Amino acid sequence: MQAVPHRPTAHGRRFRPLWRGCAAALVAGAAMLAGGSHAQAQTQLLNVSYDPTRELYREINKAFADEWKQKTGETITVRASHGGSGAQARTVIDGIDADVVTLGIPSDIDAIARATKKIPADWRSKLPNNGLPYTSTVVFIVRKGNPKSVKDWDDLAKPGVQVVTPNPKTSAGGRWNFLAAWGYAQQKEGGSVEKARAFVTEIYRNVPVLDTGARGSTVTFAQRNIGDVLPAWENEAFLILEEFGKDKFDIVVPSVSILAEPPVALVDGNVDSKGTRKAAEAYLQFLYGDKAQAIFAKHHYRPSKREAAAKEDLADLPEIKLFTIESLQGNWDDIQKNNFDSGGIFDQISKR
């Protein structure tokens, strides 16, 4: 087993129980929607984000608010909404007044742009690094001692190995897991599209439950004690170790994995109607600054500016051979349509 050694957090951070974090997010969302008189007296931004970023944006939002206060003298509140990335995209399409979206996969922002026209089609060109202030990748969390000897992607398809992963129809994490397994199989010696399809079919036969979001799969695996292996982003893997104890779980690094690209974008149509463009643009630019980049690494995401991160945080992010799914499957419109839209590959293999 190739395991990433865990060290006590150098920053003294302690995660609240996962269920309390979810409850707090719901309470915050309700307060935002209720819009009390005090809250309306100050500038508010809404960041519609994906499931596992609750802890990350709690710290990012405070740091931005502090900096904004210092620079402008104005009090600003940034509230975050979390859920499966696909489901979150639909809330924006359905009318939630997000100022920014920080979702788990490019196709979800593309979907908002197409359906609402509130985000320009060329949104990737509006921010540095194609709208990617950080990236991530998929690793495996297994139970302590790795009783099923999970070492690489091939092991997820073996009979008797239960794999916990979220539903790719609703979760960006679920889509990245699906695409990572597909890419691994297609790139293997003698691999092909047909072999990749057969490989992911075998993996999903081992999946006992499909939660709607990545955090739900974490709860299923770590709290409900279901499954042998949880493919997840590195931040979620370390959260499990910190929340539930490194004596209960190990992190296994596969031989190759996918470059996961969670993008950010301004919701132009909303910020113009709300009068929040200046603050929302500043918020997104803040994500690329040194302070936010260090926070990304602290929470086990891979910052776009490695030089801004603490060395001890970068040490937790091992070198892995990474591939991009675009190099194998083309543009994101095709990736989404062929794999995850109604009647796509995931629907086809799920019917077996």
Side-chain angles (χ1 to χ4, degrees):
M1 176 188 72
Q2 183 182 11
V4 179
H6 176 69
R7 60 174 176 78
T9 175
H11 304 272
R13 184 174 80 253
R14 291 292 182 269
F15 289 103
R16 292 181 292 176
L18 295 177
W19 60 88
R20 288 177 57 196
C22 296
L26 291 172
V27 170
M32 175 195 68
L33 294 173
S37 58
H38 174 72
Q40 294 299 322
Q42 58 186 329
T43 299
Q44 291 193 44
L45 298 178
L46 173 58
N47 172 8
V48 172
S49 194
Y50 63 104
D51 222 9
T53 58
R54 304 168 195 274
E55 296 79 17
L56 169 68
Y57 279 113
R58 189 177 299 127
E59 185 166 356
I60 288 281
N61 293 346
K62 182 182 184 305
F64 172 73
D66 290 346
E67 183 173 290
W68 183 262
K69 180 76 171 179
Q70 279 188 330
K71 288 182 175 180
T72 69
E74 180 186 9
T75 298
I76 192 167
T77 300
V78 185
R79 301 193 184 276
S81 168
H82 300 276
S85 186
Q88 290 291 84
R90 283 191 290 276
T91 68
V92 180
I93 292 169
D94 290 342
I96 193 171
D97 60 346
D99 298 275
V100 301
V101 287
T102 59
L103 296 177
I105 202 163
S107 56
D108 284 338
I109 299 183
D110 286 337
I112 298 169
R114 281 194 303 269
T116 70
K117 311 302 181 187
K118 291 182 178 180
I119 298 175
D122 62 345
W123 59 269
R124 289 180 182 83
S125 66
K126 304 298 184 181
L127 288 167
N129 197 32
N130 288 320
L132 299 170
Y134 65 91
T135 59
S136 189
T137 193
V138 177
V139 295
F140 306 146
I141 305 96
V142 298
R143 304 200 183 279
K144 192 66 181 178
N146 197 4
K148 293 298 179 74
S149 298
V150 174
K151 298 178 181 179
D152 214 338
W153 291 97
D154 291 312
D155 298 313
L156 274 59
K158 290 181 177 178
V161 176
Q162 281 198 331
V163 180
V164 175
T165 183
N167 191 334
K169 304 282 282 189
T170 55
S171 165
R175 273 170 276 176
W176 286 117
N177 290 349
F178 179 101
L179 295 170
W182 181 285
Y184 168 80
Q186 188 175 341
Q187 293 181 103
K188 282 186 67 175
E189 185 177 351
S192 65
V193 170
E194 292 74 20
K195 289 185 177 180
R197 180 189 178 105
F199 180 66
V200 296
T201 299
E202 292 302 317
I203 288 179
Y204 281 88
R205 284 176 177 164
N206 287 344
V207 176
V209 59
L210 288 168
D211 291 291
T212 58
R215 182 53 56 84
S217 287
T218 294
V219 170
T220 293
F221 181 76
Q223 283 184 209
R224 296 174 61 199
N225 203 35
I226 293 174
D228 303 303
V229 55
L230 173 74
W233 287 12
E234 290 166 313
N235 64 289
E236 202 72 356
F238 278 97
L239 183 144
I240 288 174
L241 265 61
E242 294 175 12
E243 179 73 25
F244 295 98
K246 62 182 180 179
D247 59 326
K248 295 182 176 67
F249 302 96
D250 289 324
I251 299 174
V252 175
V253 179
S255 62
V256 63
S257 196
I258 197 166
L259 178 66
E261 299 176 322
V264 303
L266 185 75
V267 188
D268 292 74
N270 287 345
V271 298
D272 288 337
S273 63
K274 294 169 66 178
T276 54
R277 174 175 284 274
K278 180 180 178 181
E281 287 180 338
Y283 177 78
L284 291 179
Q285 289 296 333
F286 177 80
L287 301 182
Y288 292 87
D290 288 356
K291 189 176 296 183
Q293 289 289 302
I295 294 172
F296 287 134
K298 173 183 172 183
H299 286 266
H300 307 294
Y301 296 90
R302 296 179 177 240
S304 58
K305 291 176 63 178
R306 291 177 60 86
E307 65 273 16
K311 290 182 179 179
E312 61 268 25
D313 292 330
L314 293 177
D316 277 346
L317 305 173
E319 291 294 326
I320 309 175
K321 182 180 178 182
L322 300 177
F323 65 87
T324 64
I325 194 61
E326 296 97 319
S327 65
L328 299 175
Q329 294 198 13
N331 62 51
W332 274 105
D333 283 342
D334 289 340
I335 293 168
Q336 175 66 32
K337 179 180 178 181
N338 294 337
N339 294 286
F340 308 118
D341 280 0
S342 181
I345 293 172
F346 179 74
D347 282 352
Q348 295 167 26
I349 69 172
S350 297
K351 292 177 181 177
R352 296 190 176 188

